[in-house]
Amino acid sequence: MTQEVLVLGAGVIGLTSAVRLAEAGHNVRVWAELLPLESTSAAASGLWMPGFGEREERWSLASFEEFSKLSRNSTETGVHLERGLAVTDIWDGPQPWLEFMPEVEVCPQEELPDGMTLGWWSTVPMIDIPRYLAHLTDRLTAAGVTIERKRIEKLTEATDAAPTVVNCTGVGARHLAGDEGVEPIRGQHVIVRNPGIDYWFMEGIQTPTWTGFFPHHDKVLLAGVSQQGNWNLEPDADDARGILERCAKAEPRLKDAEVLGYNVGLRAGRETARLDTETLGGSRVIHAYGHGPFGVSQSWGTAHDVAELVAQPGE
């Protein structure tokens, strides 16, 4: 049954949910304070990562399947499959979710960087986020949906405008939904001209600084920092210097790479992502936010569950 749905937010969770709903035939509108290329998602590395936890794993695998399809038209979608190396000090042996990942090769201990206890090579989707957000926006346009720039202070402004509201406001949900469990996790990239890097690399460590590089054709995004509670959206020179030094140590070809720019984003940190429904002002509000660094990776699985909640009859 066709429903009138208002989606709040034009980051990757909001756009993907809006596309999923519009292409299912619902009457969709999108309100967003920040347009897609201004959103936190636009500053993401674009590396697909597996989710940890039954629900998150399911979301990630559903997204992997969708991204794999989209990679067949990489020029239009910005999605491409790339091989790379992930290393971590969190686990000391292969984890169950590795069996779901394609072309996995677990590294011998002697090949791991100092301090790392597990590493594996795999081929996974890499998403050139600016191009991909444009792809999602084009799909919305084709479905007759326009993104309206609009800032709201209260959810009731949205529930007054539509019987079903999907709240994908990311870190903004701390204020808008009154969710004090949401906090910013600041990330920063240094963008360099690609000197010939044809694989990705990422450290999975629970520290404020880490090392990662993510090639997207002629550019490479260098990472990273994970700064909880930091609302600063301006590039930080010390952070940039540390990122460049760590990445050059991990991959010497990056040492003299030409710096093209910087980006900064505030991921929506939360103990677990929120996906639930509440009644407010006579309307249903479906909350979908708090994915932390996994927003892109879990976007299609989340959007599928959002669509199922929208399809459920109201109370």
Side-chain angles (χ1 to χ4, degrees):
M1 181 175 65
T2 299
Q3 297 193 39
E4 182 183 349
V5 184
L6 173 59
V7 176
L8 303 179
V12 72
I13 298 295
L15 285 183
T16 310
S17 296
V19 167
R20 179 73 172 76
L21 292 166
E23 292 182 351
H26 295 293
N27 181 13
V28 176
R29 288 181 290 162
V30 179
W31 287 358
E33 179 180 357
L34 299 175
L35 298 181
L37 293 180
E38 302 167 344
S39 70
T40 288
S41 297
S45 70
L47 176 69
W48 177 91
M49 298 181 289
F52 309 134
E54 183 177 348
R55 179 188 65 167
E56 288 74 15
E57 184 179 281
R58 177 172 57 81
W59 285 348
S60 295
L61 292 175
S63 301
F64 184 98
E65 182 178 353
E66 188 66 28
F67 286 134
S68 295
K69 295 176 183 176
L70 292 171
S71 71
R72 299 168 190 163
N73 189 5
S74 179
T75 301
E76 178 182 321
T77 66
V79 182
H80 48 109
L81 299 180
E82 299 290 348
R83 192 153 181 80
L85 173 64
V87 298
T88 182
D89 63 359
I90 299 173
W91 303 287
D92 57 7
Q95 298 298 296
W97 38 261
L98 278 175
E99 67 182 76
F100 298 109
M101 299 176 65
E103 303 178 26
V104 169
E105 295 180 28
V106 176
C107 299
Q109 184 67 39
E110 60 270 19
E111 294 182 5
L112 296 177
D114 291 344
M116 298 296 110
T117 55
L118 176 65
W120 65 92
W121 288 86
S122 62
T123 300
V124 300
M126 285 277 291
I127 298 95
D128 185 346
I129 295 295
R131 190 182 306 180
Y132 179 62
L133 293 178
H135 164 73
L136 292 179
T137 302
D138 288 345
R139 287 173 65 170
L140 283 180
T141 300
V145 180
T146 300
I147 300 170
E148 180 181 349
R149 187 191 290 274
K150 187 176 179 67
R151 175 185 173 88
I152 63 174
E153 296 294 337
K154 297 180 180 179
L155 276 176
T156 50
E157 295 177 53
T159 56
D160 286 346
T164 300
V165 174
V166 181
N167 174 24
C168 305
T169 53
V171 73
R174 179 180 176 89
H175 164 71
L176 196 61
D179 189 342
E180 295 185 358
V182 176
E183 66 172 356
I185 304 175
R186 181 182 179 275
Q188 177 171 316
H189 289 123
V190 179
I191 306 166
V192 301
R193 193 177 305 281
N194 193 344
I197 307 302
D198 60 359
Y199 71 100
W200 55 266
F201 174 79
M202 188 185 73
E203 288 181 341
I205 55 179
Q206 295 176 312
T207 59
T209 61
W210 52 282
T211 304
F213 49 85
F214 311 98
H216 294 285
H217 307 296
D218 60 349
K219 65 184 178 183
V220 185
L221 273 60
L222 310 184
V225 294
S226 298
Q227 300 167 341
Q228 293 191 354
N230 187 342
W231 290 90
N232 179 27
L233 279 167
E234 294 300 318
D236 181 274
D238 290 337
D239 287 341
R241 190 176 305 112
I243 288 168
L244 285 165
E245 290 174 355
R246 292 192 300 276
C247 288
K249 182 178 179 181
E251 172 48 82
R253 286 179 292 175
L254 291 169
K255 181 178 180 180
D256 297 316
E258 178 188 357
V259 174
L260 302 176
Y262 309 90
N263 65 29
V264 177
L266 304 181
R267 308 179 189 99
R270 196 172 186 269
E271 186 174 358
T272 60
R274 184 179 183 185
L275 183 62
D276 58 34
T277 303
E278 70 169 322
T279 301
L280 182 65
S283 297
R284 285 191 302 163
V285 179
I286 297 169
H287 297 285
Y289 61 79
H291 295 73
F294 298 97
V296 175
S297 300
Q298 298 177 6
S299 55
W300 282 102
T302 299
H304 173 77
D305 284 6
V306 166
E308 288 200 336
L309 288 174
V310 168
Q312 291 177 4
E315 297 180 0

